[in-house]
Amino acid sequence: MRRIAAASWLVGIALCLSGASAAENAEPPARVALRAARLVDGVADRARTDAVVVIEGERILAVGGPELLADGLTVLDLGDATLVPGLVDAHSHPLIVSDDYQVAHLRDSSAFKALRGLKAVQENLRAGWTTIRIAGDADVFYAHLDVRRAIDRGLFVGPRLTGAGHYLSITGGGGDINFLAPEVHVAADGLVVDGVEAMRKAVREEIKRGSDWIKLLVSGAFMSAGDRPEDVHYSAEEVRMAVEEAARHGVPVMAHAHATAGIKLAIRAGVRSIEHGTFLDDEAIRLLVEHGVYLVPTLYIGDYYIEQGSPTGYQDKMIELSKKYRDQHYEWVGKAIRAGVKIAAGSDFGGYDPAINAGEIEALHRAGMTPMQALQAATRVGAELLGWEDRIGTIAPGKLADLVAVPGDPLADLSRLRNPIFVLLGGRVVRHDAPAD
Ligand SMILES: [Zn+2]
């Protein structure tokens, strides 16, 4: 049995993330097997030991043990590593790279943001995040949707992207620029939309430009200047209009909502997911369960800012609010976990060092999930939130071969997920670090 016969397959892709040459140089062999000490499939509540996954083309053919290793099959043995499904970041902003992001938005062109955003999503992919839902991003001209187009057309290798063009915000809300003099007119980082009819048009425009999610800032935000997360911004009528108009096109709505009344209003209006959910209460948790709405708590970004500080000072507001509300946010997410709310992992990063994205999986464990539940929140549950569970999120025959290997056992130490050694996207190797042995 050959341990690694397909050297060109591995090297060709791993070294080159530009699409055309990778496709030319590194067609994967028709059928390969991956072997690892452990495998977490995204469904079972225990890891399988001495696992083998057989891959044919872009899909998984079989999952089992060494009995699957037939003569002549190319085998890549990853040793003392754990295979997990490709990770799903349910809340990312690849164009946002720094804590003074609203200033960076005014400084950088759309073209520059696209180039930087492409690099960011490629780095996220190498960190194991094979699918990313963008929760609106900081560019007037939809740079991240062009990044997705370039990846989908095969110009570059990148993760599977879905999401919203903008975060829609009220005047003075989290997607508006609130720190300039009234006589200065600029294009805000979000899309400012006020009123029911304006919402109808904005949703149509977002979808026209390629959004496959609509993102609403239903309450104020932590990171933007001049607004308060405790306040509800959109009216029930505006949110209902967004949901109704988006549904006409088969597009779901994700609602950024910290304020309790905003969370409830958004659930009742029919959104698919609540982002952040800082000020949950018992009724909000009951509504999440009853309506089958997903919660994406983005817990870790607050911890990150408390630990790291804000080099520019622009996130001093974020740090102050995070210190004030961190403990209660964890507590309410813990109650939501115990109540059976569907919870997906979302980093709220994107353009930052991608190793920190996995901090959210650790945070969900701190909030009360088992390590296995937390890993499933970043794989299977994320896929279900996207409605992509037929393609990704678990390691099972027929699924796309999006696989990540981390050294050792991540269920014993979730921080292992920060540093994968191997990443496979649709059967193609995008990362393979030299084995330690
Ligand atoms: Zn966000």
Side-chain angles (χ1 to χ4, degrees):
M1 205 148 338
R2 289 164 296 168
R3 187 157 188 267
I4 302 178
S8 63
W9 168 59
L10 293 167
V11 175
I13 290 278
L15 294 183
C16 182
L17 284 171
S18 104
S21 53
E24 284 161 19
N25 297 337
E27 274 305 320
R31 212 176 260 196
V32 296
L34 301 177
R35 186 174 190 175
R38 286 162 299 275
L39 177 143
V40 171
D41 69 5
V43 180
D45 56 11
R46 279 195 194 167
R48 171 193 278 276
T49 53
D50 197 5
V52 171
V53 183
V54 181
I55 291 152
E56 187 172 55
E58 65 173 6
R59 292 192 184 267
I60 296 166
L61 191 66
V63 183
E67 73 280 0
L68 294 177
L69 298 174
D71 276 351
L73 192 61
T74 301
V75 180
L76 173 57
D77 192 336
L78 295 160
D80 182 26
T82 304
L83 278 166
V84 304
L87 301 172
V88 179
D89 189 344
H91 188 123
S92 178
H93 305 282
L95 302 184
I96 293 180
V97 299
S98 63
D99 57 344
D100 62 345
Y101 72 98
Q102 288 191 304
V103 177
H105 154 71
L106 296 172
R107 190 173 51 222
D108 297 332
S109 71
S110 186
F112 184 77
K113 289 176 191 170
L115 291 166
R116 204 179 51 199
L118 173 62
K119 186 168 167 27
V121 297
Q122 289 188 327
E123 288 179 354
N124 276 258
L125 173 61
R126 281 179 52 77
W129 300 87
T130 52
T131 300
I132 294 173
R133 183 179 66 151
I134 298 172
D137 223 335
D139 183 46
V140 180
F141 295 115
Y142 305 91
H144 54 293
L145 298 183
D146 279 333
V147 169
R148 183 183 67 186
R149 190 171 297 125
I151 291 169
D152 288 350
R153 287 188 188 173
L155 300 175
F156 299 94
V157 174
R160 305 178 197 283
L161 298 179
T162 184
H166 294 99
Y167 26 89
L168 309 190
S169 163
I170 64 160
T171 294
D176 199 358
I177 300 281
N178 303 320
F179 53 80
L180 294 177
E183 60 268 39
V184 178
H185 297 284
V186 297
D189 53 318
L191 186 64
V192 174
V193 182
D194 296 303
V196 172
E197 276 311 308
M199 181 64 81
R200 186 198 303 273
K201 187 163 170 56
V203 168
R204 289 177 180 175
E205 180 78 19
E206 288 283 282
I207 293 170
K208 170 182 169 179
R209 300 296 173 195
S211 297
D212 41 20
W213 282 81
I214 296 297
K215 165 77 180 293
L216 302 180
L217 299 181
V218 173
S219 78
F222 274 50
M223 295 182 74
S224 49
D227 63 318
R228 291 169 16 97
E230 298 91 338
D231 297 340
V232 180
H233 282 178
Y234 276 122
S235 69
E237 292 72 26
E238 289 167 313
V239 179
R240 277 201 297 269
M241 170 57 83
V243 171
E244 180 191 318
E245 190 57 38
R248 231 191 281 280
H249 307 270
V251 170
V253 175
M254 61 173 116
H256 157 119
H258 296 287
T260 316
I263 295 169
K264 295 176 188 176
L265 173 163
I267 297 169
R268 290 189 171 113
V271 304
R272 186 163 173 85
S273 65
I274 294 291
E275 312 299 305
H276 318 304
T278 304
F279 308 120
L280 288 170
D281 67 6
D282 288 322
E283 188 188 28
I285 289 175
R286 187 171 54 72
L287 286 169
L288 283 165
V289 173
E290 273 175 24
H291 292 252
V293 171
Y294 289 80
L295 176 66
V296 184
T298 69
L299 287 163
Y300 177 63
I301 189 168
D303 296 340
Y304 170 83
Y305 269 109
I306 291 171
E307 287 161 17
Q308 302 292 318
S310 169
T312 65
Y314 276 88
Q315 290 307 321
D316 288 350
K317 168 190 163 189
M318 163 71 161
I319 292 166
E320 190 185 320
L321 290 167
S322 295
K323 283 180 178 166
K324 188 171 170 190
Y325 295 126
R326 177 191 182 280
D327 289 353
Q328 71 181 73
H329 192 193
Y330 269 87
E331 204 174 303
W332 281 108
V333 172
K335 285 185 186 174
I337 292 166
R338 291 190 290 282
V341 174
K342 297 184 285 190
I343 295 178
S347 70
D348 213 1
F349 296 115
Y352 291 62
D353 171 5
I356 62 177
N357 294 351
E360 184 64 16
I361 303 172
E362 297 159 40
L364 290 171
H365 173 46
R366 284 196 296 277
M369 285 189 182
T370 65
M372 184 63 94
Q373 285 175 319
L375 187 45
Q376 289 174 351
T379 53
R380 176 176 50 80
V381 181
E384 290 165 355
L385 162 61
L386 301 184
W388 290 6
E389 66 272 20
D390 58 333
R391 279 164 276 169
I392 60 161
T394 61
I395 303 178
K399 294 283 176 78
L400 289 166
D402 291 2
L403 296 165
V404 175
V406 299
D409 183 3
L411 298 175
D413 177 5
L414 285 170
S415 73
R416 300 271 177 165
L417 293 162
R418 291 177 182 234
N419 297 298
I421 53 170
F422 177 82
V423 180
L424 196 70
L425 177 73
R428 291 173 177 274
V429 178
V430 292
R431 175 176 201 147
H432 183 227
D433 296 0
D437 57 354

